[in-house]
Amino acid sequence: MVTFKSNAGRDVDYHTNVALQLLQMMGRDTKVPSAMFADDVPEALTRLQQELQKLAAEEAARDEQPANETADKDDDKPVPVRLDVRAEPLLKLLHKAQEANVGLMWE
């Protein structure tokens, strides 16, 4: 588990694999524990939003496959939670950190 912390809001917990993916999308290294200064938060937030939009576009293109190709195979599979949905708590924390001009740490 990786916990993101800031004085701007509540802690946000992620499974390690998801947290590392989000850190990479923010342009950060995957060293845990680590932190970013308040000045780095706006850029990290922008990068994360852009990367999530790209990922959502790729997933939408993939979902446009003809229905008959996937209909029978995927009926019993649970629908995975998209990364952009999982990222919402972190995005909110980054917004709050940006507004409060404070940094973010993760451990």
Side-chain angles (χ1 to χ4, degrees):
M1 291 295 285
V2 175
T3 302
F4 290 89
K5 298 180 178 193
S6 175
N7 290 335
R10 292 181 159 185
D11 295 354
V12 178
D13 296 321
Y14 286 100
H15 287 282
T16 303
N17 61 333
V18 174
L20 296 178
Q21 189 175 5
L22 293 171
L23 284 168
Q24 287 177 332
M25 293 174 95
M26 287 190 287
R28 308 303 296 187
D29 63 23
T30 55
K31 187 174 85 173
V32 177
S34 191
M36 71 175 80
F37 293 109
D39 294 342
D40 298 327
V41 171
E43 181 183 345
L45 175 58
T46 300
R47 286 184 67 146
L48 181 58
Q49 290 170 325
Q50 290 170 345
E51 291 296 321
L52 289 169
Q53 287 174 350
K54 282 187 213 174
L55 187 62
E58 291 170 6
E59 288 176 356
R62 204 173 325 131
D63 290 344
E64 290 178 4
Q65 294 177 8
N68 59 359
E69 286 183 24
T70 59
D72 292 334
K73 293 184 248 176
D74 294 337
D75 283 346
D76 296 334
K77 289 185 180 179
V79 177
V81 178
R82 295 186 333 253
L83 189 58
D84 61 326
V85 173
R86 289 179 190 229
E88 276 302 313
L90 180 58
L91 287 167
K92 288 179 184 177
L93 184 59
L94 285 166
H95 275 291
K96 288 179 180 179
Q98 181 178 6
E99 290 170 2
N101 197 32
V102 297
L104 180 79
M105 67 170 288
W106 50 94
E107 56 186 12

